[in-house]
Amino acid sequence: MILRLLGLIFLALSLQASAQTQPQQFYVGVLANWGHQQAIERWTPMMSYLEQAVPNTQFHVYPGNFTALNQAMESGKIQFIITNPGQYLFLSNQYPLSWLATMRSRRHNGATSAIGSAIIVRADSEYRTVYDLKAKVVAASDPHALGGYQATVGLMHKLGMDAKTYFAETKFLGFPLDPLLYQVRDGNVDAAITPLCTFEDMVARGMIDSKDYRVLNPSRPDGFECQCSTNLYPNWSFAASESVAIGMSKKITQALMDLDADAPAAVQAQLMGWTSPISQLAVIQLFSELHVQSPKNSRWEDVQFWLKENRHWGMLAIVIFIIATVYHLWIEYRFHQKSESLVESERQLKQQAIALERLQSASIVGEIGAGLAHEINQPIAAITSYSEGGIMRLQSDPRQAQQTAIALLEKIHKQSTRAGEVVHRIRGLLKRREAVMSDVNILTLVDETVSLLRLELQRHDIQIERSIKGEPFFITADRVGLLQVLVNLVKNSIDAITEAHIQPGYIHLDLDFLDHQVVLSVIDNGPGLSQDSDTLTATFFTTKSQGLGLGLAICKEVIKEHQGGLRLTSRDDNQCGCLAKVVLKKRGSDKEIVI
């Protein structure tokens, strides 16, 4: 137990020692006037110097513009910041900050007030003073940049000008600063508001020619190398957030004060060391005169800024939206056209289906025309014979011919009725009308079908037989439509037997009356089927050289209207031939058919 306790104590001490040896991580936000890479190169040696001066620490450069540094401070990503006093005042209104030291400018003999603006125009322009820029287009880095914009706004305020309405437009291009003068060079803007020494730095680096530009309202304070158009304000300073311990802030402040002017870190950072924080009264007065508010923009302002910065993408989005809208309208128009076309096509197809159905019926009637003529001629001949016999008897013995005349007239009436029925059946096959459902005796329809096709059967020497199973009952059906179906099925069997030259040919018509349905089977001894039932009953499909491909399709549609079933198969009793099975409901039955 004692050994275990000693082990735990040793482990705790080891972890504490390990934690103490891990360096503290600090991130220093730096305003990147000339881009992130330049800011990292400029301030990295300063971070190394602080790591040496303050043991057990590690410093990192966090470059960014005003917005990025504000967000980093708010989210706690940075603990220190090196920036101009304008941004410091903005941040100090939102977060507790401690001003540790102010930079002494290296190029201005250690001056601590080295922030101002230079208003640059083209050398060949007609602008000589700030007054000449009325209703002109100017460019600046950022609306919250002290040297890049606000110092000029302070100058204009003293001259009685309102920067918001004085210029026709102010373009804020952000960082780095190079594009400001390029915009002037290319004639895209009339003037550029730049931080102090931006012009001289670009000339020194060979990026522009000093002869091509001119500074408005120029002045060169004693000891300064650069021309300035405005007053000078306190230099950049080093500030710490409240998250940094007071003891650590003191150590860092002491290290900054101890930095030698000729140290590599000072040379690379372009400063002559650091001094105690100087008064920000000049900046406070400037902001007070200008009524400068917190840089925290509203959502609408953020959207406006984003749209301005990304206007090319915005234009592309608008173009895409317009194209998409036009395309959508075109699709709607085409869809409307296609819909009307489809409706019209459907109407025409229905009309053509009716015409083709009539043609099919006429074709059937044409094929059995000889039989129909024979059927009609028989009653007409009988009527003629009976009428002549009646006339002769009346002429020979008028007194005794009364009974004979009555019998003859009854026979004449019967034959005329028979002829009328034949004509009625022909008209029924040819006439297209809406289905009229009524009580129908299917046995009668089978008899009529055989009667219509009797001569056709005799001509091809085909025997037809009928058989009945069960107790017959009525069905609810369209008499004419169902007659068309039966004639078509029997006629198909006749054609199949005839084309195959089968002798003798025969057709069986079997009626099987079940509890709730009747099954009519048309069985022949033809060659059988070469296709399945669905294919054979498809519209315009035919196996006949002169066929229309409508007969079985119409049969299928008629049976469907009767809530019945139609199936075509080859015989399954080891005999050649076709089996056409029609299933219809019993009158008043609600049960589904079984096929």
Side-chain angles (χ1 to χ4, degrees):
M1 186 68 180
I2 296 176
L3 291 175
R4 182 180 296 180
L5 182 59
L6 291 174
L8 292 174
I9 294 173
F10 177 76
L11 179 61
L13 293 174
S14 298
L15 293 174
Q16 183 177 1
S18 176
Q20 291 177 350
T21 57
Q22 290 291 333
Q24 290 184 266
Q25 302 293 320
F26 295 109
Y27 288 85
V28 182
V30 176
L31 189 61
N33 283 354
W34 296 97
H36 288 196
Q37 186 59 38
Q38 190 273 348
I40 292 173
E41 293 174 357
R42 177 182 178 184
W43 293 103
T44 296
M46 183 66 68
M47 302 301 105
S48 300
Y49 165 76
L50 291 176
E51 291 173 1
Q52 296 175 1
V54 183
N56 200 32
T57 59
Q58 191 170 2
F59 291 85
H60 307 275
V61 179
Y62 188 98
N65 57 19
F66 291 104
T67 303
L69 294 182
N70 288 346
Q71 293 175 351
M73 180 64 71
E74 180 180 6
S75 61
K77 292 181 179 179
I78 59 176
Q79 293 76 42
F80 300 94
I81 186 169
I82 301 175
T83 186
N84 65 47
Q87 187 177 21
Y88 167 77
L89 291 177
F90 282 133
L91 291 174
S92 62
N93 289 332
Q94 304 175 62
Y95 321 106
L97 294 177
S98 300
W99 213 231
L100 304 184
T102 298
M103 181 193 304
R104 298 177 61 220
S105 178
R106 189 171 194 85
R107 70 190 310 170
H108 305 312
N109 297 319
T112 55
S113 292
I115 293 182
S117 300
I119 306 174
I120 312 295
V121 297
R122 287 169 56 108
D124 58 358
S125 70
E126 59 184 7
Y127 312 127
R128 300 295 173 182
T129 67
V130 180
Y131 293 102
D132 297 329
L133 297 179
K134 183 175 178 59
K136 305 300 179 184
V137 179
V138 300
S141 59
D142 191 279
H144 306 297
L146 179 60
Y149 180 68
Q150 291 175 343
T152 298
V153 175
L155 171 65
M156 297 176 66
H157 182 74
K158 290 182 178 180
L159 297 177
M161 307 172 185
D162 185 356
K164 294 181 179 180
T165 58
Y166 193 78
F167 300 124
E169 182 183 2
T170 302
K171 297 182 177 180
F172 295 104
L173 306 182
F175 300 112
L177 301 172
D178 313 38
L180 292 173
L181 293 182
Y182 293 153
Q183 291 288 306
V184 175
R185 178 197 65 190
D186 298 337
N188 296 326
V189 298
D190 298 297
I193 301 172
T194 65
L196 182 66
C197 295
T198 300
F199 171 64
E200 288 77 8
D201 286 343
M202 293 182 67
V203 171
R205 285 186 286 173
M207 300 173 69
I208 58 175
D209 189 341
S210 61
K211 296 179 181 179
D212 296 336
Y213 300 89
R214 186 173 67 251
V215 179
L216 298 186
N217 195 35
S219 65
R220 191 187 302 272
D222 294 339
F224 279 68
E225 303 175 1
C226 308
Q227 296 186 78
C228 187
S229 302
T230 66
N231 293 335
L232 295 178
Y233 296 92
N235 210 346
W236 287 20
S237 296
F238 198 116
S241 71
E242 65 173 349
S243 63
V244 181
I246 296 177
M248 181 59 67
S249 296
K250 289 181 178 180
K251 293 179 182 179
I252 294 174
T253 302
Q254 187 61 49
L256 293 174
M257 298 300 178
D258 293 341
L259 179 63
D260 188 74
D262 297 326
V267 174
Q268 185 67 23
Q270 303 172 16
L271 51 84
M272 292 185 65
W274 301 85
T275 186
S276 299
I278 66 173
S279 173
Q280 306 297 319
L281 180 61
V283 180
I284 294 173
Q285 290 177 341
L286 172 65
F287 286 2
S288 177
E289 292 174 359
L290 302 180
H291 304 288
V292 175
Q293 303 296 324
S294 170
K296 190 173 183 179
N297 297 332
S298 65
R299 292 184 181 272
W300 173 239
E301 291 174 336
D302 290 338
V303 171
Q304 287 181 313
F305 178 76
W306 185 91
L307 291 175
K308 190 172 185 179
E309 290 295 312
N310 301 274
R311 52 185 175 274
H312 53 290
W313 295 110
M315 292 300 297
L316 178 61
I318 292 174
V319 171
I320 293 175
F321 175 76
I322 293 174
I323 293 175
T325 303
V326 172
Y327 180 73
H328 174 74
L329 294 175
W330 183 78
I331 290 294
E332 287 284 345
Y333 172 73
R334 293 293 297 169
F335 178 78
H336 183 68
Q337 278 190 326
K338 291 294 183 182
S339 298
E340 291 182 345
S341 177
L342 287 173
V343 171
E344 179 63 21
S345 299
E346 184 179 3
R347 185 183 64 81
Q348 293 178 359
L349 285 173
K350 287 183 177 180
Q351 292 178 347
Q352 292 173 2
I354 294 172
L356 288 172
E357 186 177 344
R358 287 180 177 176
L359 183 59
Q360 173 70 13
S361 301
S363 176
I364 295 174
V365 173
E367 291 180 1
I368 62 177
L372 293 173
H374 176 74
E375 289 288 337
I376 294 176
N377 282 332
Q378 279 186 342
I380 290 176
I383 291 171
T384 302
S385 177
Y386 291 149
S387 61
E388 288 178 351
I391 292 172
M392 292 175 62
R393 288 195 178 190
L394 287 173
Q395 289 176 346
S396 62
D397 190 1
R399 297 177 182 178
Q400 299 180 0
Q402 181 177 2
Q403 296 297 327
T404 303
I406 292 173
L408 290 174
L409 288 174
E410 288 177 350
K411 292 180 179 180
I412 291 172
H413 176 73
K414 183 177 181 180
Q415 293 299 324
S416 64
T417 302
R418 177 183 173 188
E421 288 177 350
V422 172
V423 174
H424 179 72
R425 286 198 295 269
I426 294 173
R427 291 184 61 190
L429 285 173
L430 292 173
K431 186 178 180 181
R432 170 65 184 181
R433 57 186 177 81
E434 293 297 325
V436 177
M437 296 296 181
S438 61
D439 292 341
V440 174
N441 187 344
I442 193 170
L443 298 176
T444 303
L445 291 182
V446 171
D447 292 340
E448 290 184 7
T449 302
V450 175
S451 177
L452 285 170
L453 296 170
R454 180 177 293 111
L455 189 59
E456 187 84 1
L457 292 166
Q458 293 174 355
R459 184 169 56 190
H460 297 292
D461 193 21
I462 298 174
Q463 299 296 319
I464 189 163
E465 298 178 359
R466 283 167 281 188
S467 65
I468 301 173
K469 297 179 183 178
E471 186 67 26
F473 51 74
F474 280 84
I475 63 173
T476 301
D478 174 29
R479 189 177 186 282
V480 174
L482 201 53
L483 181 61
Q484 282 184 314
V485 172
L486 298 181
V487 170
N488 204 307
L489 293 178
V490 175
K491 185 65 172 64
N492 283 344
S493 294
I494 295 173
D495 292 340
I497 294 171
T498 303
E499 291 177 4
H501 304 289
I502 296 174
Q503 292 293 334
Y506 65 84
I507 300 174
H508 289 286
L509 297 178
D510 294 338
L511 286 164
D512 188 4
F513 290 91
L514 303 177
D515 291 339
H516 64 282
Q517 65 184 27
V518 58
V519 179
L520 169 63
S521 299
V522 181
I523 307 170
D524 61 52
N525 65 337
L529 301 181
S530 59
Q531 302 287 341
D532 60 82
S533 180
D534 291 337
T535 303
L536 291 170
T537 55
T539 305
F540 303 121
F541 179 86
T542 180
T543 58
K544 301 177 183 179
S545 59
Q546 301 298 323
L548 298 175
L550 290 171
L552 290 175
I554 294 173
C555 291
K556 181 180 179 181
E557 190 65 26
V558 171
I559 297 301
K560 184 178 179 181
E561 290 178 357
H562 287 73
Q563 299 180 356
L566 171 64
R567 186 173 68 180
L568 304 175
T569 61
S570 294
R571 292 175 61 173
D572 56 0
D573 55 357
N574 297 323
Q575 299 289 329
C576 289
C578 172
L579 167 62
K581 183 180 291 186
V582 177
V583 182
L584 297 168
K585 287 184 177 183
K586 181 180 180 181
R587 177 180 60 181
S589 175
D590 293 330
K591 295 182 180 180
E592 294 292 330
I593 62 153
V594 179
I595 188 168

